Amino acid sequence: MSCLRIDLVYSYLEGEFPPSEVREFEDHLGSCPKCRQILEDRRSFLEAANTLPTLEVPEDFADRVMERIPGGKSSLFGWLMALVTGLASLFASLLGFYLTTGEDLASLAVRMNRSLWDSLKNGVVLSGKFLKLILLALNLFMNLVLGIVKKLTVLTSIVRPEALALLFVLTLGLTTAFFYGFGKKLFWEKNDDL
Amino acid sequence: MNEDKELIDKALKGDKKAFEMIVRRYQKPLLNYMGRMVGERELALDFTQDVFIKVYASLHTYRPQYKFSTWLFKIASNFLIDFWRKKKIQPVSLDEPLETEDSALCIQVSDPGPSVDKVYELGQVRKRIEQILEKIPAALRELFVLRHINEFSYEEIAEIKGLPVGTVKNRVFQTKELIRRKLAGRS
């Protein structure tokens, strides 16, 4: 048998060598110092490569992963804990109240109920008043618009159509001039700033 | 492993404790893979967490005819490819020939070269291997890590990477010889 290829030396060391050829290879090793040296060298290399130090995982790693899982047990547990804590706080507050004021829970519940009913009644009255105010404002606005329309009707019946047209053109001109002048003023003021 | 499949079945039915057991079982091999691939412990921890979250989200796509560990590492490997793509780092393609000074790796026993164990003690050899691993192309490092740290068979690595078994064997061999030569101070 001639000297072996190095990839097959690795196969032999890793137990991937065809079993039928193992005997022949081992016989060759006995008579070939070069192949023995190659084999020992690769064996040392593989020994080191297969036993490289490993990274240690933090103890809480799995817990941290589970916390990130949607609807995970950890988060359900968290919700339960929050609920229990909330109920416990309520109970402690009620107990504290009872101990400091001497009132029992039943009378406290009646008072709370009465107070809630009063708040509800006040809320309804306030809402009614607010609605009435809005209706009054609407009525006022409607009256104003109707008044303006009536005055305009009277004006058109007194003044002749030519004068009315003149009045309209004049009003339009004055309005345009006013806004144009205002815009120009703004423009100059801006340029002054520059 | 059948135990993995039972745990996955339970996890799919909503048993979070079963998934936690999967995490505990694979956290160390996955962290060691990530650690070797990204080189920073904190980043490796974050990535390992992210991979487990990804695995949980796609647990329903797992097919029991495959080994769970190879499926898990396939997700991890794809996760790293995405990460490198986003960072615009191009890992060496395994289909291309190795372009290193050791590209003409001698496959025949002609010159055995200096022996590794004569140059360093075992502890030192391990340390040097770690240092060399950090410097070799990620695609080659990945195959070496999967084989020698995660102890996958060549067939399993081929499944993880979607490559022919022959290609994987050849690349792992070339990587080992590349490291060994650097270790023996020949390049």
Side-chain angles (χ1 to χ4, degrees), chain A residues 68-184:
Chain A
R68 284 184 58 192
I69 282 178
K73 257 188 183 166
S74 306
S75 55
L76 181 71
F77 181 72
W79 276 103
L80 277 174
M81 279 305 287
L83 190 69
V84 168
T85 313
L87 286 173
S89 312
L90 184 69
F91 180 74
S93 312
L94 288 174
L95 192 68
F97 184 79
Y98 173 71
L99 290 173
T100 49
T101 62
E103 275 194 75
D104 61 9
L105 285 178
S107 64
L108 181 70
V110 169
R111 276 179 53 179
M112 273 175 72
N113 191 25
R114 200 173 290 155
S115 147
L116 192 72
W117 176 242
D118 286 347
S119 306
L120 201 70
K121 268 199 303 193
N122 286 340
V124 170
V125 171
L126 267 174
S127 307
K129 281 183 178 172
F130 184 67
L131 198 69
K132 206 171 176 180
L133 207 66
I134 287 174
L135 284 173
L136 269 172
L138 268 174
N139 201 16
L140 196 71
F141 179 73
M142 285 297 287
N143 281 338
L144 192 71
V145 171
L146 281 173
I148 290 170
V149 170
K150 262 185 190 171
K151 294 283 183 293
L152 279 174
T153 319
V154 173
L155 191 72
T156 48
S157 63
I158 296 168
V159 182
R160 286 169 59 190
E162 294 84 8
L164 206 64
L166 188 68
L167 198 67
F168 177 73
V169 169
L170 271 174
T171 313
L172 196 71
L174 276 171
T175 314
T176 314
F178 174 76
F179 282 110
Y180 176 72
F182 189 64
K184 209 169 180 180

Side-chain angles (χ1 to χ4, degrees), chain A residues 3-11 14 16 34-35 37-38 40-42 44-59 61-66 68-74, chain B residues 16-17 19-20 23-24 27-28 31-32 35-36 41 45 48-50 52-53 56 106-110 112-113 115-117 122 125-126 129-130 144 147-149 154 169 173 176-177 179-180 183:
Chain A
C3 290
L4 215 65
R5 283 165 32 196
I6 298 176
D7 58 331
L8 295 179
V9 173
Y10 279 117
S11 297
E14 291 174 30
E16 303 235 338
K34 202 162 71 179
C35 278
Q37 191 195 329
I38 298 260
E40 284 316 307
D41 188 46
R42 269 52 176 192
S44 311
F45 172 72
L46 281 182
E47 191 190 342
N50 289 331
T51 54
L52 290 178
T54 54
L55 295 173
E56 286 309 312
V57 183
E59 273 184 26
F61 181 82
D63 295 332
R64 277 192 272 159
V65 172
M66 295 313 289
R68 284 184 58 192
I69 282 178
K73 257 188 183 166
S74 306
Chain B
K16 305 289 184 299
K17 201 78 197 163
F19 188 72
E20 193 180 328
V23 173
R24 289 189 190 281
Q27 58 188 12
K28 194 167 181 177
L31 177 68
N32 275 280
R36 259 39 182 247
R41 185 181 158 79
L45 279 167
T48 308
Q49 266 197 37
D50 291 344
F52 277 123
I53 303 298
Y56 184 79
C106 180
I107 214 163
Q108 291 289 344
V109 175
S110 53
S115 169
V116 169
D117 59 346
L122 185 63
V125 176
R126 288 193 191 115
I129 291 176
E130 293 274 16
F144 181 87
R147 175 69 185 156
H148 293 286
I149 291 170
Y154 289 112
K169 274 188 178 174
F173 159 67
K176 278 189 288 211
E177 279 298 279
I179 296 171
R180 201 199 64 82
L183 200 60

